[in-house]
Amino acid sequence: MLNRKRKGLLLSFILFAAILIVMQPIQDSITNAAAGDGSWSSPYSVSQGINAQNNSSKTVQGYVVGQPTAANTVITSGFPNDYALALADSPSETSLAKMIYVQIPSSFRSSFGLKSNPSLMGKKMKVTGTLTAYFSHPGLKDGTAFELDGSGATDPEPGPGGYYDAAYGKTGQSLKSALHNIIDDHTEISYSNVWEALRETDEDPGNPNNVILLYTGRSQSKFTNGSGVNDWNREHVWAKSHGDFGTVMGAGTDLHHLRPTDASVNSSRGNLDFDNGGSQHSEALGNYYDSDSWEPRDAVKGDVARMLFYMAVRYEGDSGEVDLELNNAVNNGSAPYHGKMSVLLEWHKEDPVDDNERRRNEIIYSDYQHNRNPFIDHPEWASAIWE
């Protein structure tokens, strides 16, 4: 009888040990959510991030487990604001010592703050930022990229996989240079081919026979292009005299800033810089202008800003090209500058990226130039460079 009990205990122990062996890889896959070199494609785990608080810029991946409100406090409901979140290697982690506190910059709060998005609890997330103390606790600050795990909770990274890898984790001039190298050397088209390209990029979603004109918002036939009254023509949003690049292939034919506009309205805009104020245009209602500036209608203010941001990054004076820069002035004339920077940043925030811009960006990338406007894909990068 005793031998039978011992055999039963031995078999139970062997079975329990076997279960532990089988379960260990599953446990490891949960607790070791990510382990890598800290790049976007190979992020640090949370434990790696905690152990690397050296002010380096790295990407960390982990599960959202709450909001830190003090060094020793992480709450899991009733979130007071969108300013911070805590990541851990396990979605059920409760030990503060195994969490990294993430500061959420203003440009990401509406999408990744827990007050606005409590459903993020338990989701896996990647964040790029600076590994440094936050709330006197191991932290990740000044984030430049946030993304949920590819679980359908958010849209996938725009563009081809890895397109922006070299830009993540950078700010200021370093980010501007990285983006320039990514979008540089695009496929150029001739100025005569711009007509046909604009018929595709600016097609009216409600009428495939028409294009939408930038400043008036009017929908009209794709083939009423020209220089006659009420025809549409090719507007250089970065005025071609600002740098004197004309219509040569490159800056002069870059679809990311060329748009169809009413011919007479285009003439009124001329080479004016962008700023608020002036008198309303009689044909393009909602647009205002004076002797030194043009204010577009509200629905495209952000579009205009993001086109100029693109031009200032794409054209940096290498390969014999013009070096275009934004400044905070008007009356720039033929200098390779465009303004007004502070106003463009305001317009960028007031008029967020919309589906028409995203569609246009995809068409230019896929069908024509094979490069993208990064400020449509990542609006937060405008602030990261210029603010």
Side-chain angles (χ1 to χ4, degrees):
M1 181 73 176
L2 186 59
N3 286 338
R4 210 178 283 134
K5 284 184 177 179
R6 285 175 177 168
K7 287 181 180 177
L9 287 171
L10 181 59
L11 286 172
S12 297
F13 176 77
I14 292 170
L15 181 60
F16 179 68
I19 290 171
L20 286 179
I21 291 169
V22 171
M23 288 298 293
Q24 187 59 45
I26 298 173
Q27 179 67 23
D28 287 345
S29 71
I30 294 174
T31 57
N32 297 320
D37 59 15
S39 65
W40 183 258
S41 58
S42 180
Y44 275 173
S45 65
V46 169
S47 61
Q48 284 180 290
I50 290 171
N51 292 323
Q53 295 288 295
N54 55 9
N55 293 305
S56 62
S57 179
K58 298 292 183 181
T59 300
V60 175
Q61 182 168 279
Y63 294 91
V64 179
V65 292
Q67 178 178 3
T69 56
N72 297 313
T73 306
V74 172
I75 60 176
T76 57
S77 62
F79 306 111
N81 53 53
D82 291 323
Y83 298 164
L85 56 81
L87 295 180
D89 284 327
S90 167
S92 58
E93 186 60 69
T94 58
S95 171
L96 303 188
K98 296 181 179 180
M99 298 179 188
I100 194 166
Y101 294 177
V102 179
Q103 179 193 52
I104 307 176
S106 58
S107 57
F108 293 101
R109 289 172 188 164
S110 62
S111 298
F112 295 97
L114 286 171
K115 181 178 181 181
S116 298
N117 308 276
S119 62
L120 291 176
M121 284 291 291
K123 299 288 179 63
K124 187 188 285 187
M125 182 183 294
K126 276 200 297 192
V127 182
T128 301
T130 302
L131 289 167
T132 189
Y134 184 45
F135 282 112
S136 301
H137 182 95
L140 191 63
K141 296 177 66 175
D142 303 318
T144 58
F146 284 65
E147 184 180 83
L148 289 185
D149 181 68
S151 57
T154 58
D155 291 335
E157 171 74 4
Y163 187 77
Y164 290 117
D165 276 1
Y168 292 125
K170 294 180 172 64
T171 59
Q173 186 58 44
S174 295
L175 175 58
K176 187 169 183 270
S177 296
L179 291 176
H180 169 73
N181 291 333
I182 291 168
I183 65 177
D184 194 15
D185 298 323
H186 70 263
T187 301
E188 297 176 347
I189 67 172
S190 70
Y191 196 49
S192 61
N193 286 340
V194 167
W195 291 118
E196 188 57 38
L198 294 181
R199 292 185 180 107
E200 183 180 1
T201 61
D202 290 75
E203 180 180 289
D204 181 350
N207 185 346
N209 297 312
N210 287 9
V211 291
I212 299 288
L213 307 191
L214 178 65
Y215 297 131
T216 62
R218 188 170 74 235
S219 175
Q220 71 180 60
S221 171
K222 289 180 175 180
F223 296 98
T224 56
N225 58 291
S227 56
V229 176
N230 293 326
D231 282 348
W232 64 268
N233 60 13
R234 299 159 291 187
E235 156 78 325
H236 290 80
V237 177
W238 186 293
K240 58 182 181 289
S241 64
H242 289 228
D244 197 27
F245 52 76
T247 59
V248 297
M249 289 173 61
T253 66
D254 196 316
L255 294 172
H256 283 295
H257 85 118
L258 281 162
R259 300 294 293 268
T261 59
D262 178 272
S264 58
V265 175
N266 191 355
S267 178
S268 296
R269 187 261 156 148
N271 70 344
L272 295 174
D273 286 282
F274 292 98
D275 196 1
N276 292 314
S279 301
Q280 182 167 231
H281 195 281
S282 59
E283 185 174 2
L285 299 181
N287 296 258
Y288 298 82
Y289 69 119
D290 53 27
S291 62
D292 59 22
S293 68
W294 180 271
E295 177 185 350
R297 60 193 176 100
D298 290 347
V300 296
K301 278 185 165 74
D303 306 49
V304 166
R306 287 179 282 275
M307 285 186 273
L308 268 63
F309 296 161
Y310 163 87
M311 293 293 284
V313 170
R314 169 61 185 84
Y315 296 95
E316 293 282 60
D318 52 0
S319 304
E321 295 175 335
V322 65
D323 183 3
L324 303 179
E325 299 295 342
L326 294 164
N327 65 9
N328 207 38
V330 292
N331 280 324
N332 279 301
S334 61
Y337 305 121
H338 228 305
K340 191 174 184 180
M341 185 72 213
S342 58
V343 173
L344 293 170
L345 286 167
E346 290 174 5
W347 291 353
H348 172 59
K349 295 170 185 174
E350 292 168 0
D351 175 33
V353 177
D354 59 30
D355 287 342
N356 288 332
E357 283 179 275
R358 294 186 188 96
R359 173 183 170 276
R360 196 172 194 278
N361 203 23
E362 291 295 337
I363 292 171
I364 294 171
Y365 172 76
S366 299
D367 297 352
Y368 295 98
Q369 297 186 179
H370 311 300
N371 73 341
R372 306 179 66 82
N373 183 334
F375 303 100
I376 293 174
D377 293 331
H378 285 278
E380 70 277 4
W381 280 343
S383 295
I385 294 173
W386 289 294
E387 288 189 316

